[in-house]
Amino acid sequence: QVPLVESGGGSVQAGGSLRLSCSGSGHTYSNFCMAWFRQAPGKKREGVAAIYSGGGITYYADSVKGRFTISQDNAENMLYLQMNSLKPEDSAMYFCAADPAKGICNLKSWYDHILFGYWGQGTQVTVSS
């Protein structure tokens, strides 16, 4: 059983918005470091945003600051990524990730995909110019 399930991807024109959702798929992710990563063809997987579910502290890649917002609904075991002012360079497969190690959620490590143990299968985002 896949521990995380993403949804909400799609095709949109530049300047548009999308909201990605990540379901806990029957698992509880309280006090986890939760994150969104993305990977475009031929490129490395990169961290987009992260949030510590136990405290709400958030982290963002410089490329998405001011445009993307990560949020969570612990009661519903859901993670979200609101993406506004989308650009063609935002096109990628977006993945939800989680790990119980609180120490991951800090400025020096939240973006390292190797540290996350739980992953979804991804949802495609395509932004056309």
Side-chain angles (χ1 to χ4, degrees):
Q1 184 180 7
V2 179
L4 298 164
V5 180
E6 304 94 337
S7 62
S11 297
V12 65
Q13 289 190 326
S17 298
L18 284 173
R19 187 194 194 203
L20 304 184
S21 300
C22 174
S23 167
S25 189
H27 299 262
T28 300
Y29 292 96
S30 59
N31 297 316
F32 271 58
C33 186
M34 307 290 295
W36 288 96
F37 288 81
R38 66 185 181 188
Q39 189 167 17
K43 294 189 176 181
K44 295 180 180 180
R45 189 166 296 191
E46 63 172 349
V48 176
I51 186 169
Y52 176 58
S53 64
I57 299 173
T58 57
Y59 305 89
Y60 294 94
D62 288 343
S63 59
V64 306
K65 280 181 181 176
R67 299 188 299 122
F68 291 11
T69 302
I70 188 171
S71 62
Q72 60 186 1
D73 184 335
N74 285 339
E76 297 294 329
N77 211 25
M78 294 290 293
L79 180 73
Y80 303 101
L81 185 68
Q82 178 66 44
M83 305 186 296
N84 299 326
S85 301
L86 282 161
K87 304 175 181 179
E89 52 263 43
D90 294 319
S91 297
M93 185 71 79
Y94 282 71
F95 298 90
C96 175
D99 199 276
K102 178 182 178 181
I104 291 176
C105 267
N106 61 67
L107 282 172
K108 294 183 178 180
S109 60
W110 71 266
Y111 49 83
D112 189 346
H113 67 91
I114 294 176
L115 299 177
F116 287 80
Y118 297 86
W119 289 87
Q121 293 182 319
T123 185
Q124 179 68 40
V125 171
T126 303
V127 184
S128 58
S129 58

Coordinates of all heavy atoms in Angstrom, one line a residue, residues 31-123:
N31 N 3.4 14.9 13.9 CA 4.8 15.1 14.3 C 5.8 14.5 13.3 O 6.8 13.9 13.6 CB 5.1 14.5 15.7 CG 4.3 15.2 16.7 OD1 4.2 16.4 16.8 ND2 3.7 14.4 17.6
F32 N 5.5 14.7 12.0 CA 6.3 14.3 10.9 C 6.9 15.5 10.2 O 6.2 16.6 10.2 CB 5.6 13.4 9.9 CG 5.6 12.0 10.1 CD1 5.1 11.4 11.3 CD2 6.0 11.1 9.1 CE1 5.1 10.1 11.5 CE2 6.0 9.7 9.4 CZ 5.5 9.2 10.5
C33 N 8.0 15.4 9.5 CA 8.4 16.4 8.6 C 7.7 16.0 7.2 O 7.9 14.9 6.7 CB 9.9 16.4 8.4 SG 10.5 17.8 7.4
M34 N 6.9 16.9 6.7 CA 6.2 16.7 5.5 C 6.7 17.6 4.4 O 7.0 18.8 4.7 CB 4.7 16.9 5.7 CG 4.0 16.2 6.8 SD 3.9 14.4 6.6 CE 2.8 14.4 5.2
A35 N 6.8 17.2 3.2 CA 7.4 18.0 2.2 C 6.8 17.7 0.8 O 6.3 16.6 0.5 CB 8.9 17.8 2.2
W36 N 7.0 18.7 -0.1 CA 6.8 18.5 -1.5 C 8.1 18.6 -2.2 O 8.9 19.5 -2.0 CB 5.8 19.6 -2.0 CG 4.4 19.4 -1.6 CD1 3.8 20.0 -0.5 CD2 3.4 18.6 -2.1 NE1 2.5 19.6 -0.4 CE2 2.3 18.7 -1.4 CE3 3.4 17.7 -3.2 CZ2 1.1 18.1 -1.7 CZ3 2.2 17.0 -3.5 CH2 1.1 17.2 -2.8
F37 N 8.3 17.7 -3.1 CA 9.5 17.7 -4.0 C 9.0 17.7 -5.5 O 7.8 17.3 -5.7 CB 10.3 16.4 -3.8 CG 11.1 16.5 -2.5 CD1 10.5 16.1 -1.3 CD2 12.4 16.8 -2.5 CE1 11.2 16.2 -0.1 CE2 13.2 16.9 -1.3 CZ 12.5 16.5 -0.1
R38 N 9.8 18.0 -6.4 CA 9.5 17.9 -7.8 C 10.7 17.4 -8.6 O 11.8 17.6 -8.2 CB 9.0 19.2 -8.3 CG 10.0 20.4 -8.4 CD 9.3 21.7 -8.8 NE 10.3 22.8 -8.9 CZ 9.9 24.0 -9.1 NH1 8.6 24.4 -9.2 NH2 10.9 25.0 -9.1
Q39 N 10.4 16.8 -9.7 CA 11.4 16.3 -10.6 C 11.0 16.5 -12.0 O 10.0 15.9 -12.5 CB 11.8 14.9 -10.3 CG 13.0 14.4 -11.0 CD 13.5 13.1 -10.5 OE1 12.8 12.4 -9.8 NE2 14.7 12.8 -10.8
A40 N 11.7 17.2 -12.8 CA 11.5 17.4 -14.2 C 12.4 16.4 -15.0 O 13.4 16.0 -14.5 CB 11.8 18.8 -14.6
P41 N 12.0 16.0 -16.2 CA 12.8 15.1 -17.0 C 14.2 15.5 -17.1 O 14.5 16.7 -17.5 CB 12.1 15.1 -18.3 CG 10.7 15.4 -18.0 CD 10.8 16.4 -16.9
G42 N 15.1 14.6 -16.8 CA 16.6 14.9 -16.9 C 17.1 15.7 -15.8 O 18.3 16.1 -15.8
K43 N 16.3 16.1 -14.8 CA 16.8 16.9 -13.7 C 16.7 16.1 -12.4 O 16.0 15.1 -12.2 CB 16.0 18.2 -13.6 CG 16.2 19.1 -14.8 CD 15.6 20.4 -14.6 CE 15.9 21.4 -15.7 NZ 15.3 22.7 -15.5
K44 N 17.5 16.6 -11.4 CA 17.5 16.0 -10.1 C 16.2 16.4 -9.3 O 15.5 17.4 -9.6 CB 18.7 16.5 -9.2 CG 20.0 16.1 -9.8 CD 21.1 16.6 -8.9 CE 22.5 16.2 -9.4 NZ 23.6 16.7 -8.6
R45 N 15.8 15.5 -8.4 CA 14.6 15.8 -7.6 C 15.0 16.9 -6.6 O 16.0 16.9 -6.0 CB 14.2 14.6 -6.8 CG 12.9 14.7 -6.0 CD 12.4 13.4 -5.5 NE 12.1 12.5 -6.7 CZ 11.4 11.3 -6.5 NH1 11.0 10.9 -5.3 NH2 11.2 10.5 -7.6
E46 N 14.1 17.9 -6.6 CA 14.4 19.1 -5.7 C 13.3 19.4 -4.8 O 12.1 19.2 -5.0 CB 14.7 20.3 -6.6 CG 13.5 20.8 -7.4 CD 13.7 22.1 -8.1 OE1 14.7 22.8 -7.8 OE2 12.8 22.5 -9.0
G47 N 13.7 19.9 -3.6 CA 12.7 20.3 -2.6 C 12.0 21.5 -3.0 O 12.6 22.5 -3.4
V48 N 10.7 21.5 -2.8 CA 9.9 22.7 -3.1 C 9.5 23.4 -1.8 O 9.6 24.6 -1.7 CB 8.6 22.3 -3.9 CG1 7.7 23.5 -4.1 CG2 9.0 21.6 -5.2
A49 N 8.9 22.6 -0.9 CA 8.5 23.2 0.4 C 8.4 22.1 1.4 O 8.2 20.9 1.1 CB 7.2 23.9 0.2
A50 N 8.5 22.5 2.7 CA 8.3 21.5 3.8 C 7.7 22.2 5.0 O 7.7 23.4 5.1 CB 9.7 21.0 4.2
I51 N 7.0 21.3 5.8 CA 6.4 21.8 7.0 C 6.5 20.7 8.1 O 6.4 19.5 7.8 CB 4.9 22.1 6.7 CG1 4.2 22.8 7.9 CG2 4.1 20.9 6.2 CD1 2.9 23.4 7.6
Y52 N 6.8 21.2 9.3 CA 6.8 20.2 10.4 C 5.4 20.1 11.0 O 4.8 21.1 11.4 CB 7.8 20.6 11.5 CG 7.7 19.7 12.7 CD1 8.0 18.4 12.5 CD2 7.4 20.2 13.9 CE1 8.0 17.5 13.6 CE2 7.4 19.4 15.0 CZ 7.7 18.0 14.9 OH 7.6 17.2 15.9
S53 N 4.8 18.9 10.9 CA 3.4 18.8 11.2 C 3.1 19.0 12.7 O 2.0 19.3 13.1 CB 2.9 17.4 10.8 OG 3.5 16.4 11.6
G54 N 4.2 18.9 13.5 CA 4.0 19.2 14.9 C 4.0 20.6 15.3 O 3.6 21.0 16.5
G55 N 4.5 21.5 14.5 CA 4.6 22.9 14.8 C 4.2 23.9 13.8 O 4.1 25.1 14.1
G56 N 4.2 23.5 12.5 CA 3.7 24.4 11.5 C 4.8 25.2 10.9 O 4.5 26.1 10.0
I57 N 6.1 25.0 11.3 CA 7.2 25.8 10.7 C 7.3 25.4 9.2 O 7.3 24.2 8.9 CB 8.5 25.6 11.4 CG1 8.3 26.0 12.9 CG2 9.6 26.3 10.8 CD1 9.5 25.7 13.8
T58 N 7.5 26.4 8.3 CA 7.5 26.1 6.9 C 8.9 26.5 6.3 O 9.6 27.4 6.8 CB 6.4 26.8 6.2 OG1 6.5 28.2 6.4 CG2 5.1 26.3 6.6
Y59 N 9.2 25.8 5.2 CA 10.4 26.1 4.5 C 10.1 26.1 3.0 O 9.3 25.3 2.5 CB 11.5 25.0 4.8 CG 11.8 24.9 6.2 CD1 11.1 24.0 7.0 CD2 12.8 25.6 6.8 CE1 11.3 23.8 8.4 CE2 13.1 25.5 8.2 CZ 12.3 24.6 8.9 OH 12.6 24.4 10.3
Y60 N 10.8 26.9 2.2 CA 10.5 27.0 0.8 C 11.8 27.1 0.0 O 12.8 27.8 0.4 CB 9.6 28.2 0.5 CG 8.2 28.2 1.0 CD1 7.9 28.7 2.3 CD2 7.2 27.5 0.3 CE1 6.6 28.7 2.8 CE2 5.9 27.5 0.8 CZ 5.6 28.0 2.1 OH 4.4 28.0 2.6
A61 N 11.8 26.6 -1.2 CA 12.8 26.8 -2.1 C 12.7 28.3 -2.6 O 11.6 28.8 -2.7 CB 12.7 25.9 -3.3
D62 N 13.9 28.9 -2.9 CA 13.9 30.3 -3.3 C 13.1 30.5 -4.5 O 12.4 31.6 -4.7 CB 15.3 30.8 -3.5 CG 16.1 31.0 -2.2 OD1 15.5 31.0 -1.2 OD2 17.3 31.0 -2.3
S63 N 13.0 29.5 -5.4 CA 12.4 29.6 -6.7 C 10.8 29.7 -6.6 O 10.2 30.1 -7.5 CB 12.7 28.5 -7.6 OG 12.4 27.2 -7.0
V64 N 10.3 29.3 -5.4 CA 8.8 29.3 -5.2 C 8.4 30.3 -4.1 O 7.1 30.4 -4.0 CB 8.3 27.9 -5.0 CG1 8.8 26.9 -6.1 CG2 8.7 27.4 -3.6
K65 N 9.3 30.9 -3.4 CA 8.9 31.8 -2.3 C 8.0 32.9 -2.9 O 8.2 33.5 -3.9 CB 10.1 32.4 -1.7 CG 10.8 31.5 -0.7 CD 12.0 32.1 0.0 CE 12.7 31.2 1.0 NZ 13.9 31.8 1.5
G66 N 6.9 33.1 -2.1 CA 5.9 34.2 -2.5 C 4.9 33.7 -3.5 O 3.9 34.4 -3.8
R67 N 5.1 32.5 -4.1 CA 4.1 32.0 -5.1 C 3.4 30.7 -4.6 O 2.3 30.5 -4.9 CB 4.8 31.7 -6.4 CG 5.5 32.9 -7.0 CD 6.0 32.5 -8.4 NE 7.0 31.5 -8.5 CZ 6.9 30.3 -9.1 NH1 5.8 30.1 -9.8 NH2 7.9 29.5 -9.1
F68 N 4.2 29.9 -3.8 CA 3.6 28.6 -3.3 C 3.4 28.7 -1.8 O 4.2 29.4 -1.1 CB 4.6 27.5 -3.6 CG 4.8 27.1 -5.1 CD1 4.3 27.9 -6.1 CD2 5.4 25.9 -5.4 CE1 4.4 27.5 -7.4 CE2 5.6 25.6 -6.8 CZ 5.1 26.4 -7.7
T69 N 2.4 28.0 -1.4 CA 2.2 27.9 0.1 C 1.9 26.4 0.5 O 1.0 25.8 -0.1 CB 0.9 28.7 0.5 OG1 1.2 30.1 0.1 CG2 0.7 28.7 2.0
I70 N 2.7 25.9 1.4 CA 2.4 24.6 1.9 C 1.6 24.7 3.2 O 1.7 25.6 4.0 CB 3.8 23.9 2.2 CG1 3.5 22.4 2.6 CG2 4.5 24.6 3.3 CD1 4.8 21.6 2.7
S71 N 0.6 23.8 3.3 CA -0.2 23.8 4.5 C -0.6 22.4 4.8 O -0.5 21.5 4.0 CB -1.4 24.7 4.3 OG -2.2 24.2 3.2
Q72 N -1.2 22.2 6.0 CA -1.6 20.9 6.4 C -2.9 21.0 7.2 O -3.3 22.0 7.7 CB -0.6 20.3 7.4 CG -0.3 21.2 8.6 CD 0.8 20.7 9.5 OE1 1.5 19.7 9.1 NE2 1.0 21.3 10.6
D73 N -3.6 19.8 7.2 CA -4.8 19.7 8.0 C -4.6 18.4 8.7 O -4.9 17.3 8.2 CB -6.1 19.6 7.1 CG -7.4 19.5 7.9 OD1 -7.3 19.0 9.0 OD2 -8.4 19.9 7.3
N74 N -4.1 18.5 9.9 CA -3.8 17.3 10.7 C -5.0 16.5 11.0 O -5.0 15.2 11.1 CB -3.1 17.7 12.0 CG -1.6 18.1 11.8 OD1 -1.1 17.8 10.7 ND2 -1.1 18.9 12.7
A75 N -6.2 17.1 11.2 CA -7.4 16.4 11.5 C -7.8 15.5 10.4 O -8.3 14.4 10.6 CB -8.5 17.4 11.9
E76 N -7.6 15.9 9.2 CA -7.9 15.2 8.0 C -6.7 14.4 7.4 O -6.9 13.7 6.4 CB -8.5 16.1 6.9 CG -9.8 16.8 7.3 CD -10.9 15.8 7.5 OE1 -10.9 14.7 6.8 OE2 -11.8 16.1 8.3
N77 N -5.6 14.5 8.1 CA -4.3 13.8 7.6 C -4.0 14.2 6.2 O -3.7 13.3 5.3 CB -4.5 12.3 7.8 CG -3.2 11.6 8.0 OD1 -2.3 12.2 8.6 ND2 -3.2 10.3 7.7
M78 N -4.1 15.5 5.9 CA -3.8 16.0 4.5 C -2.7 17.0 4.5 O -2.5 17.8 5.4 CB -5.1 16.6 4.0 CG -6.3 15.7 3.8 SD -6.0 14.5 2.4 CE -6.0 15.6 1.0
L79 N -2.0 17.0 3.4 CA -1.0 18.1 3.1 C -1.3 18.7 1.8 O -1.8 18.0 0.9 CB 0.4 17.4 3.0 CG 1.6 18.3 2.7 CD1 1.9 19.1 4.0 CD2 2.8 17.5 2.3
Y80 N -1.1 20.0 1.7 CA -1.5 20.8 0.5 C -0.3 21.6 0.0 O 0.6 22.0 0.8 CB -2.7 21.7 0.8 CG -3.9 21.0 1.3 CD1 -4.2 21.0 2.7 CD2 -4.7 20.3 0.4 CE1 -5.3 20.4 3.1 CE2 -5.9 19.7 0.9 CZ -6.2 19.7 2.3 OH -7.3 19.1 2.7
L81 N -0.4 21.9 -1.3 CA 0.6 22.9 -1.9 C -0.2 23.7 -2.8 O -0.7 23.3 -3.9 CB 1.7 22.2 -2.6 CG 2.8 23.1 -3.2 CD1 3.6 23.7 -2.0 CD2 3.7 22.4 -4.1
Q82 N -0.5 25.0 -2.4 CA -1.1 26.0 -3.2 C -0.1 26.6 -4.1 O 0.9 27.2 -3.6 CB -1.9 27.0 -2.4 CG -2.5 28.1 -3.2 CD -3.7 27.6 -4.0 OE1 -4.5 26.8 -3.6 NE2 -3.8 28.0 -5.3
M83 N -0.3 26.5 -5.4 CA 0.7 27.1 -6.4 C 0.1 28.2 -7.2 O -0.9 27.9 -7.9 CB 1.2 25.9 -7.3 CG 1.8 24.8 -6.5 SD 2.6 23.5 -7.6 CE 1.2 23.0 -8.5
N84 N 0.6 29.4 -7.0 CA 0.1 30.5 -7.8 C 1.1 31.1 -8.7 O 2.3 30.8 -8.5 CB -0.4 31.6 -6.8 CG -1.5 31.2 -5.9 OD1 -2.4 30.4 -6.3 ND2 -1.5 31.7 -4.7
S85 N 0.7 31.9 -9.6 CA 1.6 32.5 -10.6 C 2.6 31.5 -11.2 O 3.8 31.7 -11.2 CB 2.4 33.6 -9.9 OG 1.6 34.6 -9.4
L86 N 2.0 30.4 -11.6 CA 2.9 29.3 -12.2 C 3.6 29.7 -13.4 O 3.1 30.5 -14.2 CB 2.0 28.1 -12.5 CG 1.6 27.3 -11.2 CD1 0.4 26.4 -11.5 CD2 2.7 26.5 -10.7
K87 N 4.8 29.1 -13.5 CA 5.7 29.4 -14.6 C 6.0 28.1 -15.4 O 5.9 27.0 -14.8 CB 7.0 30.0 -14.1 CG 6.9 31.2 -13.3 CD 8.2 31.7 -12.7 CE 8.1 32.9 -11.8 NZ 9.4 33.4 -11.3
P88 N 6.4 28.2 -16.6 CA 6.7 26.9 -17.4 C 7.8 26.1 -16.7 O 7.8 24.9 -16.7 CB 7.2 27.5 -18.7 CG 6.4 28.7 -18.9 CD 6.4 29.3 -17.5
E89 N 8.7 26.8 -16.0 CA 9.8 26.1 -15.3 C 9.3 25.3 -14.0 O 10.1 24.6 -13.4 CB 11.0 27.0 -14.9 CG 10.5 28.3 -14.2 CD 10.4 29.5 -15.1 OE1 9.8 29.3 -16.2 OE2 10.8 30.6 -14.8
D90 N 8.1 25.5 -13.7 CA 7.5 24.8 -12.6 C 7.0 23.4 -13.0 O 6.6 22.6 -12.2 CB 6.3 25.5 -11.9 CG 6.7 26.8 -11.2 OD1 7.8 26.8 -10.6 OD2 6.0 27.8 -11.4
S91 N 7.0 23.2 -14.3 CA 6.5 21.9 -14.8 C 7.4 20.8 -14.3 O 8.6 20.8 -14.5 CB 6.5 21.9 -16.4 OG 5.6 22.9 -16.9
A92 N 6.8 19.8 -13.8 CA 7.5 18.6 -13.2 C 6.5 17.6 -12.6 O 5.3 17.9 -12.5 CB 8.4 19.1 -12.1
M93 N 7.0 16.5 -12.2 CA 6.3 15.6 -11.4 C 6.5 16.0 -10.0 O 7.6 16.2 -9.5 CB 6.8 14.1 -11.6 CG 5.9 13.1 -10.9 SD 4.3 12.8 -11.6 CE 4.8 11.8 -13.0
Y94 N 5.4 16.2 -9.3 CA 5.4 16.6 -7.9 C 5.1 15.5 -6.9 O 4.1 14.7 -7.1 CB 4.4 17.7 -7.6 CG 4.9 19.1 -8.2 CD1 5.0 19.3 -9.5 CD2 5.3 20.1 -7.3 CE1 5.4 20.5 -10.0 CE2 5.7 21.3 -7.8 CZ 5.8 21.5 -9.1 OH 6.3 22.7 -9.6
F95 N 6.0 15.3 -5.9 CA 5.9 14.2 -5.0 C 5.7 14.7 -3.6 O 6.3 15.7 -3.2 CB 7.1 13.4 -5.0 CG 7.5 12.7 -6.3 CD1 8.2 13.4 -7.2 CD2 7.0 11.5 -6.6 CE1 8.6 12.8 -8.5 CE2 7.3 10.9 -7.8 CZ 8.1 11.5 -8.7
C96 N 4.8 14.0 -2.8 CA 4.7 14.3 -1.4 C 5.6 13.3 -0.7 O 5.7 12.2 -1.1 CB 3.2 14.0 -1.1 SG 2.8 14.1 0.7
A97 N 6.2 13.8 0.4 CA 7.1 13.0 1.2 C 6.9 13.2 2.7 O 6.5 14.3 3.1 CB 8.6 13.2 0.8
A98 N 7.3 12.3 3.4 CA 7.2 12.4 4.9 C 8.2 11.6 5.6 O 8.7 10.6 5.1 CB 5.8 11.9 5.3
D99 N 8.6 12.0 6.8 CA 9.5 11.2 7.6 C 9.3 11.6 9.1 O 9.1 12.8 9.4 CB 11.0 11.5 7.2 CG 11.9 10.4 7.7 OD1 12.3 10.5 8.9 OD2 12.1 9.4 7.0
P100 N 9.4 10.6 10.0 CA 9.1 10.9 11.4 C 10.3 11.6 12.1 O 10.1 12.1 13.2 CB 8.9 9.5 12.0 CG 9.7 8.6 11.1 CD 9.5 9.2 9.7
A101 N 11.4 11.7 11.5 CA 12.6 12.3 12.1 C 12.4 13.9 12.1 O 12.5 14.5 11.1 CB 13.9 12.0 11.4
K102 N 12.1 14.4 13.3 CA 11.9 15.8 13.4 C 13.1 16.6 13.0 O 12.9 17.7 12.4 CB 11.6 16.2 14.9 CG 11.3 17.6 15.2 CD 11.1 17.9 16.6 CE 10.9 19.4 16.9 NZ 10.7 19.7 18.3
G103 N 14.3 16.1 13.1 CA 15.5 16.8 12.8 C 15.6 17.1 11.3 O 16.4 18.0 10.9
I104 N 14.8 16.5 10.5 CA 14.9 16.8 9.0 C 14.4 18.2 8.7 O 14.9 18.8 7.8 CB 14.1 15.7 8.2 CG1 14.7 14.4 8.3 CG2 13.9 16.1 6.8 CD1 14.0 13.3 7.7
C105 N 13.3 18.6 9.4 CA 12.7 19.9 9.1 C 13.6 21.0 9.7 O 13.2 21.5 10.8 CB 11.3 19.9 9.7 SG 10.1 19.4 8.4
N106 N 14.6 21.3 9.0 CA 15.4 22.5 9.4 C 16.0 23.1 8.1 O 15.9 22.5 7.0 CB 16.5 22.2 10.4 CG 17.5 21.2 9.9 OD1 18.2 21.5 8.9 ND2 17.5 20.0 10.5
L107 N 16.6 24.3 8.2 CA 17.0 25.0 7.0 C 18.1 24.2 6.2 O 18.2 24.4 5.0 CB 17.6 26.3 7.4 CG 16.5 27.4 7.7 CD1 17.2 28.7 8.2 CD2 15.7 27.7 6.4
K108 N 18.8 23.3 6.9 CA 20.0 22.7 6.3 C 19.6 21.4 5.6 O 20.4 20.8 4.9 CB 21.1 22.5 7.3 CG 21.7 23.7 7.8 CD 22.9 23.5 8.7 CE 23.6 24.7 9.2 NZ 24.7 24.5 10.1
S109 N 18.5 20.8 5.9 CA 18.2 19.4 5.4 C 16.8 19.2 4.9 O 16.6 18.1 4.2 CB 18.5 18.4 6.6 OG 17.6 18.7 7.7
W110 N 15.9 20.1 5.0 CA 14.5 19.8 4.6 C 14.4 19.5 3.1 O 13.5 18.8 2.7 CB 13.6 21.0 4.9 CG 13.8 22.2 4.0 CD1 14.6 23.3 4.2 CD2 13.2 22.4 2.7 NE1 14.5 24.1 3.2 CE2 13.7 23.6 2.3 CE3 12.4 21.7 1.9 CZ2 13.3 24.2 1.0 CZ3 12.0 22.2 0.7 CH2 12.5 23.4 0.2
Y111 N 15.4 20.0 2.3 CA 15.3 19.8 0.8 C 16.0 18.5 0.3 O 16.1 18.3 -0.9 CB 15.9 21.0 0.2 CG 17.3 21.4 0.7 CD1 18.4 20.8 0.3 CD2 17.4 22.4 1.7 CE1 19.7 21.1 0.8 CE2 18.6 22.7 2.2 CZ 19.7 22.1 1.8 OH 21.0 22.4 2.3
D112 N 16.6 17.7 1.2 CA 17.3 16.6 0.8 C 16.4 15.4 0.8 O 16.0 14.8 1.8 CB 18.4 16.3 1.9 CG 19.4 15.2 1.4 OD1 19.1 14.5 0.4 OD2 20.5 15.1 2.0
H113 N 16.0 15.0 -0.4 CA 15.1 13.9 -0.6 C 15.5 12.6 -0.1 O 14.7 11.7 0.3 CB 14.7 13.8 -2.1 CG 15.8 13.2 -3.0 ND1 16.0 11.9 -3.2 CD2 16.8 13.9 -3.6 CE1 17.0 11.7 -4.0 NE2 17.6 12.9 -4.2
I114 N 16.8 12.4 0.1 CA 17.3 11.1 0.6 C 16.9 10.9 2.0 O 16.8 9.7 2.5 CB 18.9 11.1 0.5 CG1 19.3 11.1 -1.0 CG2 19.5 9.9 1.1 CD1 20.8 11.2 -1.2
L115 N 16.6 11.9 2.8 CA 16.3 11.8 4.2 C 14.8 11.4 4.4 O 14.5 11.0 5.5 CB 16.6 13.1 4.9 CG 18.0 13.6 4.8 CD1 18.1 15.0 5.5 CD2 18.9 12.6 5.5
F116 N 14.0 11.4 3.4 CA 12.6 11.1 3.6 C 12.3 9.6 3.3 O 12.7 9.1 2.2 CB 11.7 12.0 2.7 CG 11.7 13.4 3.2 CD1 12.7 14.3 2.9 CD2 10.6 13.9 3.9 CE1 12.7 15.6 3.4 CE2 10.6 15.2 4.4 CZ 11.6 16.1 4.1
G117 N 11.6 9.0 4.2 CA 11.3 7.6 4.0 C 10.0 7.2 3.4 O 9.8 6.0 3.0
Y118 N 9.1 8.1 3.4 CA 7.7 7.8 2.9 C 7.5 8.7 1.7 O 7.6 9.9 1.7 CB 6.7 8.0 3.9 CG 6.8 7.1 5.2 CD1 7.6 7.5 6.2 CD2 6.1 5.9 5.2 CE1 7.8 6.7 7.3 CE2 6.2 5.1 6.3 CZ 7.1 5.5 7.4 OH 7.2 4.7 8.5
W119 N 7.0 8.1 0.6 CA 6.7 8.8 -0.6 C 5.4 8.4 -1.3 O 5.0 7.3 -1.1 CB 7.9 8.5 -1.6 CG 9.2 9.1 -1.2 CD1 10.1 8.6 -0.4 CD2 9.7 10.4 -1.6 NE1 11.2 9.5 -0.3 CE2 10.9 10.6 -1.0 CE3 9.2 11.4 -2.5 CZ2 11.7 11.7 -1.2 CZ3 9.9 12.6 -2.6 CH2 11.2 12.7 -2.0
G120 N 4.9 9.4 -2.0 CA 3.8 9.1 -2.9 C 4.3 8.8 -4.3 O 5.5 8.8 -4.6
Q121 N 3.4 8.5 -5.2 CA 3.7 8.2 -6.6 C 3.8 9.4 -7.5 O 4.3 9.2 -8.6 CB 2.8 7.1 -7.1 CG 2.8 5.8 -6.4 CD 1.9 4.8 -7.0 OE1 0.7 5.1 -7.3 NE2 2.4 3.5 -7.1
G122 N 3.4 10.5 -7.0 CA 3.6 11.7 -7.8 C 2.3 12.1 -8.6 O 1.5 11.3 -8.9
T123 N 2.3 13.4 -8.9 CA 1.2 14.0 -9.7 C 1.9 15.0 -10.7 O 2.7 15.8 -10.3 CB 0.1 14.6 -8.9 OG1 -1.0 15.1 -9.7 CG2 0.6 15.8 -8.1

